[in-house]
């Protein structure tokens, strides 16, 4: 029995011996090394984490009947035969970017450096959109508590909103993300996701696009297609498969139990998913979250949908992906200082545990 | 009254209006933009964080009398006139790197890619040292609880151990870091810091070294000397000064209340600090931690000492620095996905609050 930080206890179902030596692994996409240090799960831990107290549902601005407490919906979705909303998309009341409404163009970048001297105090306005996808009218806290039809509507909203901002509004960058639980950065408990679309492409994202382009130039195939081929052949880190998708724990994962979900066939844009793909993906994601929750009850989790920046179009080198990860460990000083992560659970062990967890 | 994630409440001492529009700021060193979004401090928060329960001191392997529970000390320090240890340095019992003891050379890097095809599964052994600096014999939990003489001994240990691994053992990279409290990634409550020395220079650190070199090539001065000149002239983000050091909240800070401490005169290596510098620096750091703790009681914090990688020697472009930061916010899905951080507290407001906090 070993303990992962945050006071969450877990155990290998088959109780087999775990890897015991430290190893560094190279994340080719991110161009950085990660340390796998399985022995560190045996560290003593002084801190016994107590669950946060959660406000009563009666205060929740996302529940049905409280629609007046949020800005007007920009989209809403009903289940077949119903007139009540099942999924509701609203602008974030506390946006991180300055609203760029319908008809308003994203501003061009300006990074001028006056009179040749390097300017250490450059500022710009963050233009864009920050939306909240409220995933159910009732006060549920995780996507796993919804039924399959409801989850499919949620994914439909993801697809539509990404398409809206990337295709219609030409936002350079859009990311869809979900924070569940306090440790995952959520402030509201009611199940929801968020979309941020901006004219700014973060430098890490820019670098990962360049790496994918470089890979294809050198290897004549897309990075994720190669990785998928290797992963399916090795079979060590696969968690689950559907006809169109594969979920696996990546070789150089920075944090425990992180899973990547990718389409088997090349596709640059998540928002180009067809209905059959959407159905499979929502089914698969729902199952993977349930597995994580069975393995680590009450843990926080995030997921992030990475889709191609607008300017690279349908590029053959970019492959969209979802990253899903529980928040069991804390970033410590070493990670902050060096950006080199220490992962106490190898992805092979993580995949085995997730496969063995019930759905 | 505004709330920062993690349930910690804070208030501007002067109750003046806070900045209310979002703004992006460019971090020249890291080559990335940060979003300042002060309005987000007004978000509602469903989660009321309860403090962790902490194990009894009687279990603590770092307390005086429990020396048998840790590996043998590699160094220890006594206060003048005492024969009992005040600071004790031991190898980490659960190291993240594989031990590279005295007389053992660090292995050279090998990053070969067999037969020209890109290898997505590169591994290597993490060579190096992972040490724990136990900062007091009694069961105290923060450096701020020690007296000034004790803190100076702690900093002396930092200097000696960095010098040991970087100068004597030619570790390419060494970082000294401190995790206090569960949210900062600590597993033991007893006040301690850690040192990791390796033959691997993390890619983020490599990039920051290149940026500093580029700055000096273009501007004929060191990045931090220029920044210091600008900061002292603007005066908006300065927290505290001593004859040899300045502490300030950097312009494009990713997280609330982060402070950088730098020497006023150019110095590449922390471990080249003289005794007078060490005395001032330990005094200053002690005060800054007390200010943070007054402002955010019971919050976790980290600090990290960034000193020059061994191979760049005494380079005129590299300036050592300490980063000190409380852990009030959680990394959410957006930050994980984009590496673009949203900071709800501007560094100007942070500096003002820290200056106004008692010592």
């Amino acid at each position: 029995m070993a303990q992962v930080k945050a006071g969450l206890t877990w155990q290998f179902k088959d109780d087999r011996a775990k890897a015991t030596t430290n190893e560094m692994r190279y994340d080719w996409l991110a161009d950085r090394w990660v340390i796998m240090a399985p022995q560190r799960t045996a560290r003593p831990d002084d801190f016994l984490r107590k669950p946060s107290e959660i406000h009563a549902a009666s205060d929740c601005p996302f529940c049905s009947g409280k629609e007046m407490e949020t800005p007007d919906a920009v989209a809403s979705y009903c289940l077949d035969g119903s007139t009540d909303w099942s999924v509701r998309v609203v602008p974030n009341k506390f946006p991180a970017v300055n609203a760029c409404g319908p008809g308003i163009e994203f501003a061009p970048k300006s990074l001028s450096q006056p009179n040749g001297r390097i300017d250490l105090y450059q500022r710009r306005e963050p233009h864009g959109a920050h939306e909240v996808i409220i995933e159910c009218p009732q006060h549920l806290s995780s996507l796993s508590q919804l039924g399959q039809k409801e989850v499919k509507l949620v994914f439909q909203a993801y697809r539509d909103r990404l398409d809206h901002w990337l295709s219609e509004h030409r936002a350079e960058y859009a990311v869809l993300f979900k924070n569940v639980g306090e440790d995952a950065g959520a402030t509201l408990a009611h199940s929801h996701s968020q979309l941020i679309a901006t004219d700014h492409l973060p430098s890490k994202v820019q670098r990962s696009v360049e790496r994918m382009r470089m890979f294809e130039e050198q290897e004549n195939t897309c990075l994720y297609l190669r990785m998928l081929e290797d992963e399916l052949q090795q079979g060590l880190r696969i968690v689950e498969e559907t006809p169109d998708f594969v979920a696996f724990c990546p070789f150089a994962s920075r944090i425990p139990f992180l899973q990547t979900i990718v389409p088997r066939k090349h596709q640059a844009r998540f928002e180009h998913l067809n209905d059959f793909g959407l159905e499979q993906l929502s089914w698969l994601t729902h199952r993977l979250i349930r597995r994580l929750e069975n393995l680590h009850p009450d843990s926080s989790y995030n997921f992030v949908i990475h889709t191609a920046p607008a300017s690279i179009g349908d590029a053959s080198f970019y492959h969209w992906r979802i990253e899903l990860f529980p928040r069991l460990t804390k970033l410590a000083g070493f990670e902050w200082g060096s950006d080199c992560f220490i992962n106490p659970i190898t992805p092979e062990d993580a995949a085995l545990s997730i496969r063995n967890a019930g759905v």
Side-chain angles (χ1 to χ4, degrees), chain A:
Chain A
M1 189 127 92
Q3 204 170 35
V4 172
K5 267 296 301 154
L8 288 157
T9 300
W10 63 279
Q11 192 170 20
F12 286 96
K13 293 275 174 173
D14 58 358
D15 252 344
R16 74 206 174 88
K18 298 189 303 294
T20 50
T21 52
N22 298 321
E23 174 179 276
M24 295 187 86
R25 296 186 179 194
Y26 183 61
D27 181 335
W28 197 91
L29 175 61
D31 184 22
R32 67 184 170 214
W33 291 82
V34 174
I35 298 177
M36 300 288 163
Q39 287 174 311
R40 287 177 67 76
T41 53
R43 283 182 296 170
D45 195 335
D46 274 352
F47 301 97
L48 183 64
R49 179 65 178 276
K50 290 186 176 174
S52 301
E53 203 171 277
I54 300 179
H55 281 191
S58 61
D59 291 335
C60 177
F62 290 170
C63 281
S64 170
K66 296 289 195 64
E67 290 80 359
M68 296 298 288
E69 295 188 22
T70 56
D72 288 345
V74 292
S76 67
Y77 299 80
C78 307
L79 288 171
D80 285 344
S82 170
T83 53
D84 295 329
W85 64 269
S86 179
V87 178
R88 197 168 161 260
V89 183
V90 299
N92 194 313
K93 212 168 160 179
F94 304 94
V97 291
N98 297 343
C100 202
I104 298 174
E105 284 301 304
F106 281 89
K109 264 190 200 177
S110 107
L111 271 181
S112 64
Q113 291 176 2
N115 57 43
R117 182 174 149 139
I118 291 177
D119 180 3
L120 296 179
Y121 298 90
Q122 294 177 65
R123 305 162 186 249
R124 63 193 294 265
E125 204 185 332
H127 292 286
H130 189 167
E131 294 181 341
V132 180
I133 296 101
I134 303 170
E135 299 176 337
C136 48
Q138 67 277 44
H139 195 70
L140 303 175
S141 61
S142 172
L143 204 64
S144 63
Q145 296 164 303
L146 306 186
Q148 175 53 27
K149 281 182 184 166
E150 285 86 352
V151 178
K152 194 187 164 192
L153 275 190
V154 169
F155 274 74
Q156 204 171 312
Y158 296 167
R159 182 179 66 180
D160 291 352
R161 300 315 296 168
L162 284 169
D163 193 54
H164 176 81
W165 289 108
L166 287 164
S167 304
E168 292 176 38
H169 283 266
R170 305 290 304 161
E172 175 55 14
Y173 175 64
V175 62
L176 194 304
F177 58 97
K178 184 170 183 62
N179 309 328
V180 178
E182 199 207 357
D183 282 333
T187 47
L188 292 175
H190 191 125
S191 188
H192 69 285
S193 297
Q194 297 175 69
L195 176 149
I196 290 182
T198 75
D199 54 346
H200 166 70
L201 189 62
S203 50
K204 189 190 94 165
V205 179
Q206 176 67 45
R207 274 199 299 273
S208 74
V209 167
E210 282 159 16
R211 294 289 285 182
M212 286 197 211
R213 191 199 306 268
M214 188 199 300
F215 190 92
E216 205 213 24
E217 279 170 9
Q218 285 187 36
E219 305 286 308
N220 289 316
T221 183
C222 150
L223 168 65
Y224 274 98
L225 287 185
R226 163 75 60 78
M227 201 187 287
L228 212 47
E229 187 189 320
D230 291 345
E231 288 299 335
L232 288 167
Q233 197 187 343
Q234 295 176 30
L236 293 167
R237 289 171 291 271
I238 302 291
V239 175
E240 193 146 9
E241 301 179 52
T242 75
D244 290 349
F245 299 96
V246 178
F248 63 100
C249 295
F251 169 75
S253 180
R254 306 185 103 185
I255 55 172
F257 304 102
L258 181 144
Q259 296 166 76
T260 301
I261 310 169
V262 289
R264 282 182 202 268
K265 289 195 182 149
H266 182 73
Q267 189 166 44
R269 317 200 71 87
F270 170 88
E271 62 274 23
H272 289 175
L273 257 184
N274 63 25
D275 285 343
F276 180 54
L278 206 66
E279 180 138 7
Q280 282 177 59
L281 185 66
S282 54
W283 177 87
L284 177 61
T285 308
H286 188 245
R287 276 172 74 87
L288 296 175
I289 295 172
R290 290 178 75 99
R291 286 185 187 281
L292 279 184
E293 288 175 340
N294 282 329
L295 197 58
H296 304 290
D298 302 319
S299 69
S300 296
Y301 70 87
N302 297 98
F303 68 68
V304 181
I305 300 177
H306 300 268
T307 190
S311 62
I312 71 164
D314 262 328
S316 59
F317 58 83
Y318 192 97
H319 204 88
W320 71 258
R321 66 198 186 281
I322 296 180
E323 287 182 309
L324 165 65
F325 44 102
R327 298 293 292 275
L328 306 172
T329 50
K330 298 286 162 65
L331 257 69
F334 181 68
E335 284 85 358
W336 272 101
S338 67
D339 200 44
C340 178
F341 277 55
I342 301 171
N343 183 349
I345 315 285
T346 67
E348 294 77 20
D349 287 339
L352 180 69
S353 298
I354 303 170
R355 282 198 305 270
N356 286 341
V359 176

